[in-house]
Amino acid sequence: MDVRVAEAAESQAPPGPRGTAGPRGTNRWRRRAAVLFLAAFPVLTGVLPTAASAAPAASAASVAPAGTAPQAAAPAKASAKESARTGTGSRSARISLNEVTPSVPEQGDTLTLSGTVTNTSNTTLTRLRLTPRIGPTLTSRSGIEQAARRKGYLPGADGTEVPGDHGAKLSGLASGVTRSFTLKIPVSDLRLSTDGVHQLGVSLTGQTRSRPYDQILGMGRTFLPWQEEASDHRTRFTYLWPLISTPHVTARTQSDRQQTPVFRDDTLAKELAPGGRLQQMLELGKDLNVTWVIDPDLLASVDMMAGRYRVHKPGGGPDDTVAGKGQEYAKQWLAELQEAVDGKEVVALPFADPDLASLAHRGTQVRGALSSLGQATRLARETVEVVLHVKPSTDFAWPYKGAVDSSIVDVATSAGAHNVIARSDSVREHGLSYSPTAARPIGSGNTALVADAPLSTAFEGDLSRAGASSLAVQRFTAQSLALARQVPSRTRSVVVAPQRMPSVSQAQAMAAGIKALGRSGWAETSSLADAAKAKPDPGARRKMPAPSAYPSSLRKTELPTAAFEQVRKTKDGLEDFTQILSKADRVMPPFTTAIDREVSNAWRGERRAARGYRDNVEEYLLELRGAVKLIKKSDITLSGREATIPVTVQNNLAQGVDGLVLELSSSRVGLDVGDPKRVKVDGEHTQTLKFDTTAKNNGRAYVYAQLYTQDGDRYGKVMKFQVNVTSITSTVLLVIAGGVLLIVLAGIRMYTQRKRSGPAPDPDAPLEQPDADGDTDGSDDASADASENAPENDPEDASEKAFENASEKDRSDGDAPGATATGEAAGVLDAAHGDGDDTERESDNPPAAGEKVDR
């Protein structure tokens, strides 16, 4: 029978007398007669059916012959949809069963059903009565899932009213009003004759103004697992209890001695505070017999939070931080966790819970992507031992949502894990009518633990409403009983792997389900190590799916190949950087753990946040690498063929640098800039290195300064500056010196001559009048007298006269005194300037302004 057809029929037909099971109290022949009359009424009266006749027509669909079912189904389906939309019929009210106590009842118990009823229609409901109903046994696990999805009332499937007066009357309920209720039912009155999963419901019967007769207005249902006697072959259940969170710590640290860590935000403190997600996971889990599955990154983050830490300021720069305030929460949580896991099974995932599927599908194409997986596993073991003081197992790999293929298994086992936790909706069975034991060998000494998908996903979704949480618990216990009853004569081992980061409401429902399972007579708890050693079923699937079978919906959320390329680039830069540090241990841990967080499962569906985290790590590393750099030089001039070029290295780090090599190179042949030099500079200091330079010719050249690591890799950016060589040889200097000396001697000679010739005549003095003989004041007579009185053959006078005669001859030629010497010096300079090509290049390229370095 179509569910919607039956629902429409039931919602419109008036029920039988109170206390009967709905349609069974109606006279079958009377209903058929009414249907025939209604069908013939339009013909007799000549009037077409109106909207008012739709309801009886829909009712006729439930009793129409099989051959006419398709014709009757159409209006019935339309009526069902209209009923669901407007909140009429058996969906006029919503009944929520918020608590079923006990979840797994035993003989002699009294069952308590607590919940609420809400009027979802647009009319007032009157003469209301709540009645518990017990339905037939569900014989399959798929039947449980179908019943959980069903809405409204379905005759037959929702069973009969529980005998006895166990209901409750309610007054009128206006539209939108909610009222709570509690029903108590002795288990003996349920008359559970067979073991298995029974449908348990509460129906609301009442009337409306448009339909003033008793009808079912609402239906709430749940499941009641029942097994009167304990089984001799109980199913062993292993429940994973995950303590996993998103990455919280950045690669940044303060430069103080303690290296105060910097957190992305302070949300971890909220999770650890009373009522927070992680605090509830710990509080609930310590009373359960579960396997603790822990991401060591969470432990490391909480351990750092227990001390002094900083939090990045929202909207601020990279260095804008505020003090964190979650120290007390972190200390208390760690202390309680150490006590909770004492003596319990603890499984440590690789550090930061790496995304194995993304690594297998996108990361193997990138060099070195898989190398960090083994390091993350070793770090996981050390972290758990140090923080929790227990020895964890690192032999288990858990891909995202248990979805696996052959490539994922290869990657998971490459880091040393021999057990891969999968899920049955990924590794589907063929030819088996039951759920086999979780363990099955997959070759090379490895084991796949295939978790049960319905049980693992039982607590997903929004469980913040009490009704949703209660239904999830009852469905979980019902599924476990249905699984156990598949092969009651065989003991099987089942693994339950829930979502990685359950919410508070989900965790509470999980804990309630596990406790109910512990009180049942068909289940017992087991460790994950024992589940891995369990004897596998011979018919269970042992071949892992091909990579093409991986769900496309999950593949879309994987980390892209570009993410692994960026991780590789950051790792290479970190390796070069740490080689030059005197205290590399202050830099390596913050960065290596941050790089591990870049490929975490926590980034699934958070592509933008993942990219932002990777960029922040890379930018911080570049910032630290840039603190060791070459100080920019201006253009320099080398005065000589042999000179020295100084280059300064600056270290703004808080620690010393040793291991870099500074090398200069020239853009032109003939300029030798010296050999490379080792760089060793203390923290927050500079070092100037001098390079002996030899030039074979003059001119300009570009010099490039570059830092290198000891492995020959470039470090930082190249620095470029211009060098101008203006070389002057010793021969040229001697020629120039000789010319200058000649000029000086000529000047002295001229000075001496002028001094001996007396003062120059006054050009402004009046001219003397000549006498009658043409003489002027007897000057000739005076000269004659002087000549007569002068001694004869004086050699000094003869030389002076000779010099004067020569001078007179020179003056008569128009040459000034000293011109001959000056001309000779000029000729020497001309010869010097014209000797060789170097000077010509110098004249073509005048010295550049800037730094001048003399030899």
Side-chain angles (χ1 to χ4, degrees):
M1 178 186 297
D2 187 275
V3 173
R4 289 170 294 184
V5 175
E7 179 182 323
E10 177 61 26
S11 65
Q12 301 298 335
R18 187 180 302 275
T20 62
R24 291 186 299 176
T26 304
N27 188 289
R28 181 176 57 184
W29 296 105
R30 184 178 303 172
R31 292 177 61 190
R32 289 188 176 181
V35 170
L36 294 175
F37 173 76
L38 290 173
F41 182 76
V43 177
L44 295 176
T45 59
V47 181
L48 294 176
T50 62
S53 64
S59 178
S62 62
V63 295
T68 62
Q71 290 79 4
K77 290 181 180 180
S79 178
K81 291 181 180 180
E82 182 68 16
S83 174
R85 186 179 65 84
T86 60
T88 58
S90 62
R91 300 191 188 186
S92 300
R94 182 180 65 247
I95 299 176
S96 174
L97 295 176
N98 299 339
E99 186 178 3
V100 179
T101 308
S103 299
V104 181
E106 298 178 355
Q107 195 67 37
D109 289 340
T110 297
L111 194 65
T112 301
L113 304 179
S114 300
T116 59
V117 56
T118 302
N119 183 358
T120 58
S121 69
N122 54 8
T123 186
T124 301
L125 307 180
T126 59
R127 303 187 63 180
L128 303 177
R129 185 172 185 272
L130 290 168
T131 306
R133 307 177 73 92
I134 189 69
T137 304
L138 298 173
T139 57
S140 66
R141 302 185 66 185
S142 60
I144 296 175
E145 295 303 314
Q146 291 176 2
R149 292 191 296 266
R150 192 168 67 245
K151 305 295 183 182
Y153 172 73
L154 182 60
D158 285 317
T160 61
E161 294 183 2
V162 177
D165 189 12
H166 303 297
K169 293 183 179 181
L170 299 177
S171 58
L173 201 62
S175 177
V177 175
T178 299
R179 192 165 297 161
S180 59
F181 66 87
T182 299
L183 304 179
K184 293 184 178 295
I185 313 163
V187 173
S188 57
D189 289 353
L190 296 176
R191 299 179 182 178
L192 304 174
S193 58
T194 58
D195 294 345
V197 178
H198 297 266
Q199 295 185 77
L200 180 66
V202 174
S203 61
L204 177 68
T205 304
Q207 298 180 5
T208 63
R209 177 176 299 178
S210 60
R211 292 177 295 174
Y213 50 84
D214 289 345
Q215 57 191 301
I216 294 180
L217 301 175
M219 184 71 199
R221 62 177 58 82
T222 187
F223 304 98
L224 189 68
W226 171 256
Q227 183 164 300
E228 191 170 358
E229 295 182 358
S231 175
D232 295 333
H233 300 278
R234 297 192 179 192
T235 303
R236 296 172 182 172
F237 288 89
T238 301
Y239 205 101
L240 307 186
W241 196 254
L243 288 183
I244 302 173
S245 186
T246 57
H248 295 280
V249 184
T250 68
R252 291 183 178 270
T253 59
Q254 300 288 306
S255 59
D256 54 4
R257 180 174 299 180
Q258 293 78 16
Q259 284 190 274
T260 302
V262 177
F263 282 58
R264 297 173 60 205
D265 48 44
D266 220 5
T267 56
L268 182 57
K270 297 179 181 179
E271 292 190 82
L272 300 175
R277 188 184 70 84
L278 290 173
Q279 189 273 338
Q280 284 292 293
M281 289 291 295
L282 174 56
E283 186 67 23
L284 296 168
K286 64 183 180 181
D287 297 328
L288 304 174
N289 191 6
V290 293
T291 296
W292 296 82
V293 180
I294 301 177
D295 176 10
D297 178 39
L298 173 61
L299 298 182
S301 301
V302 178
D303 189 56
M304 285 186 280
M305 181 175 282
R308 182 171 175 265
Y309 73 101
R310 306 287 295 180
V311 177
H312 181 258
K313 188 176 181 181
D319 295 326
D320 294 337
T321 61
V322 295
K325 302 178 181 179
Q327 288 88 348
E328 295 303 321
Y329 298 145
K331 292 177 182 178
Q332 183 176 356
W333 191 83
L334 282 179
E336 293 181 0
L337 181 60
Q338 291 172 358
E339 182 179 353
V341 300
D342 186 22
K344 300 292 183 64
E345 184 182 34
V346 176
V347 171
L349 299 174
F351 194 91
D353 187 22
D355 191 339
L356 302 177
S358 295
L359 227 93
H361 298 155
R362 315 289 178 91
T364 53
Q365 306 171 15
V366 180
R367 173 179 55 84
L370 295 180
S371 61
S372 60
L373 194 56
Q375 300 173 1
T377 301
R378 290 189 293 272
L379 181 59
R381 182 185 300 106
E382 297 171 0
T383 303
V384 175
E385 290 179 353
V386 170
V387 178
L388 296 183
H389 312 299
V390 297
K391 187 175 181 179
S393 172
T394 57
D395 202 28
F396 295 89
W398 188 13
Y400 182 70
K401 289 193 174 182
V404 298
D405 57 42
S406 56
S407 65
I408 297 175
V409 172
D410 292 340
V411 168
T413 55
S414 65
H418 294 89
N419 302 285
V420 181
I421 301 173
R423 211 165 68 182
S424 60
D425 54 354
S426 178
V427 184
R428 299 181 182 275
E429 300 297 335
H430 302 289
L432 285 181
S433 60
Y434 63 93
S435 301
T437 289
R440 68 273 318 264
I442 55 177
S444 302
N446 301 318
T447 301
L449 291 170
V450 182
D452 186 77
L455 294 177
S456 299
T457 59
F459 301 105
E460 294 182 356
D462 182 12
L463 301 184
S464 57
R465 295 185 297 105
S469 176
S470 175
L471 178 60
V473 172
Q474 296 304 121
R475 185 170 58 181
F476 175 78
T477 55
Q479 284 282 359
S480 67
L481 176 57
L483 186 149
R485 289 184 57 81
Q486 288 174 343
V487 190
S489 60
R490 181 185 301 177
T491 299
R492 285 168 294 158
S493 180
V494 177
V495 173
V496 182
Q499 59 272 31
R500 273 175 153 75
M501 289 182 283
S503 63
V504 172
S505 58
Q506 290 172 345
Q508 293 170 345
M510 286 163 53
I514 296 172
K515 288 181 179 180
L517 205 61
R519 294 190 297 265
S520 69
W522 61 85
E524 63 183 13
T525 57
S526 175
S527 67
L528 189 59
D530 290 341
K533 298 175 183 177
K535 184 179 179 180
D537 287 70
R541 181 178 179 180
R542 302 188 181 189
K543 184 179 180 180
M544 294 296 100
S548 58
Y550 191 80
S552 59
S553 59
L554 297 182
R555 194 179 289 271
K556 292 178 182 178
T557 64
E558 290 180 341
L559 294 172
T561 303
F564 294 99
E565 291 284 1
Q566 188 175 9
V567 170
R568 180 197 58 78
K569 181 181 177 183
T570 304
K571 290 171 65 176
D572 291 345
L574 177 64
E575 184 177 353
D576 292 341
F577 182 57
T578 54
Q579 287 180 1
I580 71 172
L581 300 177
S582 59
K583 297 179 181 179
D585 56 339
R586 288 179 60 87
V587 176
M588 283 293 291
F591 271 100
T592 54
T593 54
I595 291 174
D596 288 338
R597 296 184 190 105
E598 290 180 353
V599 295
S600 173
N601 272 309
W603 302 121
R604 286 280 186 151
E606 301 289 341
R607 178 165 293 192
R608 179 176 296 181
R611 178 62 184 269
Y613 188 87
R614 295 194 303 271
D615 289 345
N616 289 336
V617 174
E618 183 179 21
E619 290 169 1
Y620 183 48
L621 178 60
L622 293 176
E623 178 183 329
L624 293 181
R625 286 171 59 94
V628 181
K629 60 183 179 180
L630 300 173
I631 295 181
K632 182 67 177 177
K633 290 183 66 63
S634 59
D635 297 344
I636 65 175
T637 300
L638 300 182
S639 300
R641 294 289 179 87
E642 296 180 358
T644 300
I645 297 179
V647 179
T648 303
V649 181
Q650 185 178 41
N651 177 17
N652 291 328
L653 296 174
Q655 59 173 295
V657 170
D658 186 9
L660 284 176
V661 175
L662 177 59
E663 181 177 333
L664 299 187
S665 60
S666 173
S667 64
R668 61 182 293 182
V669 178
L671 180 61
D672 185 2
V673 290
D675 298 328
K677 295 184 180 295
R678 180 180 176 182
V679 177
K680 184 177 182 180
V681 54
D682 295 333
E684 300 180 349
H685 283 73
T686 60
Q687 179 189 16
T688 300
L689 304 173
K690 295 183 178 181
F691 291 81
D692 295 332
T693 306
T694 302
K696 295 182 180 180
N697 47 36
N698 298 342
R700 290 191 180 97
Y702 286 106
V703 175
Y704 303 92
Q706 176 67 62
L707 291 170
Y708 291 91
T709 64
Q710 291 181 346
D711 294 337
D713 297 328
R714 292 178 180 268
Y715 185 92
K717 297 180 179 180
V718 65
M719 183 181 70
K720 175 183 175 182
F721 58 95
Q722 183 174 284
V723 175
N724 185 25
V725 180
T726 57
S727 177
I728 304 177
T729 64
S730 58
T731 304
V732 173
L733 290 176
L734 290 175
V735 173
I736 294 174
V740 172
L741 180 60
L742 290 176
I743 293 174
V744 172
L745 291 175
I748 295 174
R749 187 81 173 181
M750 293 173 63
Y751 174 76
T752 303
Q753 177 186 356
R754 290 181 179 179
K755 185 175 181 181
R756 288 180 178 179
S757 62
D762 187 1
D764 297 328
L767 298 175
E768 295 181 358
Q769 295 295 328
D771 54 12
D773 296 327
D775 297 332
T776 60
D777 296 335
S779 57
D780 292 340
D781 295 337
S783 299
D785 294 338
S787 301
E788 292 177 357
N789 297 329
E792 296 179 0
N793 302 327
D794 186 7
E796 182 176 353
D797 292 340
S799 63
E800 287 182 1
K801 289 180 179 181
F803 181 81
E804 290 177 359
N805 293 332
S807 299
E808 289 293 335
K809 185 177 185 300
D810 292 339
R811 283 193 291 272
S812 66
D813 294 337
D815 294 331
T820 302
T822 305
E824 292 176 355
V828 173
L829 291 177
D830 290 340
H833 286 295
D835 185 15
D837 297 333
D838 294 346
T839 307
E840 293 178 358
R841 293 195 182 96
E842 180 180 337
S843 301
D844 295 337
N845 302 298
E851 182 179 359
K852 181 177 181 181
V853 181
D854 297 328
R855 53 174 184 158

